[in-house]
Amino acid sequence: MSLADVLARLGLTRLPFGGVPPAAALTGAYATRVSECLRELRAGQVSTVLVSGPRDAGHRAILVALLERLARDGDLSVWFDDYPADGPAFLQALLNGWGLEIEEGMRDDLKALLELFIGHQSGKGHTAYVALPADREPGRAIGELITWLAGLRFDGRHTVRFLLHGEPAGHLPDCLRGGTPELAQGRGLVHHRAPGLLPSESEYYIHTRLKMAGARHPAELIGMELCRLVGAYAEGEVPLIDRLVLTALDMAAADDQAGSLVVRQRHVEAAAARLGLELRSEAVTAESVPSDASAEPERASLVFSAGAEVTHEVELVQPRMVMGRDGDCDISLDSRFISRFQCLFMQTRRGWYVLDLGSTNGTFVNGRRIREHLLRQGDVISIGRHRIRFVADIAAAGESPAATSDDYLSTEFLVSRGRDIDAGDDATAIRRPDAPHG
């Protein structure tokens, strides 16, 4: 029996994998790690950031939505999946994307209008972001315009910042890799590889995509352990996870003539062998801790208490630690009031985050239910009947700045909505709410 027949019998309306994954299938932890790639760019520490990775890996939709959020806060953002035909078309796309609907114009006129508009917005404290494809060649005319944009300044500071996305096609042109005086200025380009999914995130991703396709009980199709095995074989790369699960599902359908569908370990291993994938002993994903090996990581611990009495303390000794009821968790708690995989503690360059992993009863910080939260000294985390105080070694790590709503790019909105993010046009206009029209 074919896979399509079995899926139809199970009520799945379509193949559950393939194409760009919807943001709702990705966890807040993954979205937060992607958002960290833009930290230096948003802070103005660099002029250009390259986030490389396959287009269908999920990070692209997150980056689009993050720029969209910046636009809602008043900045200017426009996204290109390909370069327009010529220089005037490129300038016109920028103006249209930033809210000025210009139908046509001469190159010099468009440049003058663009410079005036960017300068005006910079005077109001807004920044212009341009997302460009790293796997495309801009051409000489557009390359000259990119260099010109990179040289625009207001009060001595650069006003346009660049996000490059996709796998670089050979060597990046000078105008995109900081090889020109206009782009370099001691800042140049920072390259981030799009992160992969953690094992627990692979489970969440696979089961969520099955649910979106109509599966009522996705864990009965492929269990938690096998989801994590898939993630290990694919090293957390979303396109490989998709291919591996589809291949395993196809093998499971052919293996069971009764019309049922259960993926077993032999199916995953056979599918991995067909795709040429092997298990590796090293970590599945890149660490989120600072890349500067000389930097002293922030030491932190979780202090558990019952009433006024401290019961025990757990030190956060790894950059990512999962807490839950399951025995495989890094911090395992024997309680029926928490989920098997309750929350993730993750160290980033900004400090420690706690991220809820879709738990049933929720994760609370200082009495407020959260999906993600940047922890500060003394924060109280409540899960089930457990009360946990976050304690950071401030003396070793240095005093952290006060947390504000603008301190990092929150990604809660990404994983809480169920619609795909449309980033498929050659130029996606990401406008400010008050952008003028006509």
Side-chain angles (χ1 to χ4, degrees):
M1 186 173 295
S2 70
L3 176 59
D5 292 336
V6 175
L7 292 178
R9 179 171 297 184
L10 293 174
L12 273 72
T13 57
R14 57 183 172 83
L15 285 177
F17 300 93
V20 177
L26 302 166
T27 68
Y30 176 77
T32 298
R33 294 201 305 279
V34 173
S35 74
E36 281 289 312
C37 296
L38 297 186
R39 185 181 66 90
E40 300 100 331
L41 188 68
R42 184 167 178 259
Q45 298 170 351
V46 297
S47 56
T48 310
V49 165
L50 165 63
V51 182
S52 61
R55 289 195 172 206
D56 54 352
H59 67 279
R60 181 170 164 273
I62 293 172
L63 292 172
V64 171
L66 290 171
L67 291 185
E68 184 180 37
R69 168 156 186 163
L70 291 177
R72 291 202 302 270
D73 291 340
D75 290 324
L76 308 171
S77 299
V78 64
W79 182 285
F80 289 92
D81 275 324
D82 206 345
Y83 289 102
D86 52 38
F90 178 65
L91 294 171
Q92 183 178 329
L94 287 173
L95 289 165
N96 291 344
W98 288 338
L100 297 176
E101 296 183 359
I102 306 299
E103 295 184 0
E104 59 182 12
M106 301 295 291
R107 179 177 181 272
D108 290 343
D109 293 337
L110 294 174
K111 284 181 64 177
L113 179 58
L114 194 62
E115 184 172 3
L116 180 64
F117 179 65
I118 292 175
H120 176 68
Q121 294 300 317
S122 296
K124 296 168 63 176
H126 301 317
T127 301
Y129 296 90
V130 181
L132 300 171
D135 54 357
R136 302 285 194 272
E137 289 290 339
R140 180 177 177 180
I142 294 179
E144 291 175 351
L145 290 174
I146 293 172
T147 303
W148 169 74
L149 284 171
L152 293 179
R153 299 187 183 188
F154 181 84
D155 285 346
R157 63 182 178 87
H158 291 270
T159 57
V160 182
R161 300 170 192 171
F162 298 90
L163 166 65
L164 309 182
H165 55 89
E167 295 288 4
H171 293 291
L172 291 172
D174 283 347
C175 63
L176 294 181
R177 62 179 175 84
T180 63
E182 292 82 3
L183 271 177
Q185 295 297 322
R187 298 184 299 171
L189 176 145
V190 173
H191 183 186
H192 293 278
R193 179 74 187 176
L197 298 182
L198 300 172
S200 59
E201 292 173 329
S202 297
E203 176 196 354
Y204 177 86
Y205 170 72
I206 293 170
H207 286 168
T208 300
R209 293 212 71 172
L210 287 169
K211 286 181 181 178
M212 289 179 171
R216 294 183 178 180
H217 306 288
E220 295 179 1
L221 299 181
I222 177 168
M224 178 267 290
E225 295 83 359
L226 292 184
C227 289
R228 294 187 170 210
L229 182 62
V230 166
Y233 269 114
E235 297 187 30
E237 294 191 17
V238 171
L240 283 179
I241 291 175
D242 290 347
R243 291 171 57 196
L244 185 52
V245 175
L246 272 178
T247 305
L249 284 170
D250 191 49
M251 290 181 171
D255 201 20
D256 193 336
Q257 300 302 318
S260 61
L261 189 64
V262 178
V263 175
R264 307 189 185 279
Q265 183 170 342
R266 66 176 182 272
H267 300 136
V268 174
E269 292 176 344
R274 177 180 295 182
L275 297 176
L277 302 176
E278 297 180 357
L279 285 176
R280 298 188 179 184
S281 59
E282 60 263 26
V284 173
T285 58
E287 301 293 355
S288 300
V289 295
S291 58
D292 183 2
S294 63
E296 181 70 19
E298 180 183 21
R299 296 193 298 272
S301 59
L302 305 174
V303 179
F304 289 74
S305 61
E309 181 182 354
V310 174
T311 58
H312 64 286
E313 182 174 346
V314 175
E315 186 177 357
L316 297 174
V317 295
Q318 302 174 25
R320 293 184 300 274
M321 297 183 70
V322 176
M323 177 185 291
R325 191 178 74 246
D326 194 276
D328 289 336
C329 290
D330 302 296
I331 306 172
S332 182
L333 302 176
D334 186 12
S335 172
R336 63 186 178 89
F337 296 103
I338 67 174
S339 299
R340 292 173 61 198
F341 302 97
Q342 175 77 25
C343 59
L344 168 71
F345 293 90
M346 181 178 71
Q347 187 184 19
T348 74
R349 283 167 288 197
R350 289 194 180 279
W352 283 92
Y353 282 91
V354 59
L355 302 108
D356 186 79
L357 296 177
S359 63
T360 302
N361 294 325
T363 301
F364 295 80
V365 177
N366 302 327
R368 182 176 63 89
R369 186 165 184 169
I370 58 94
R371 288 182 179 272
E372 62 177 43
H373 179 79
L374 180 61
L375 290 166
R376 298 298 178 186
Q377 175 77 356
D379 278 351
V380 176
I381 306 156
S382 302
I383 57 172
R385 295 182 175 179
H386 293 274
R387 178 182 171 89
I388 309 161
R389 186 164 57 93
F390 176 78
V391 178
D393 187 349
I394 300 299
E399 189 70 39
S400 299
T404 67
S405 60
D406 194 44
D407 189 42
Y408 66 102
L409 295 175
S410 173
T411 53
E412 179 177 339
F413 71 100
L414 278 173
V415 296
S416 62
R417 65 186 184 182
R419 66 179 180 87
D420 292 0
I421 297 174
D422 181 13
D425 297 334
D426 284 349
T428 300
I430 308 177
R431 294 177 177 168
R432 296 174 291 110
D434 60 343
H437 294 273

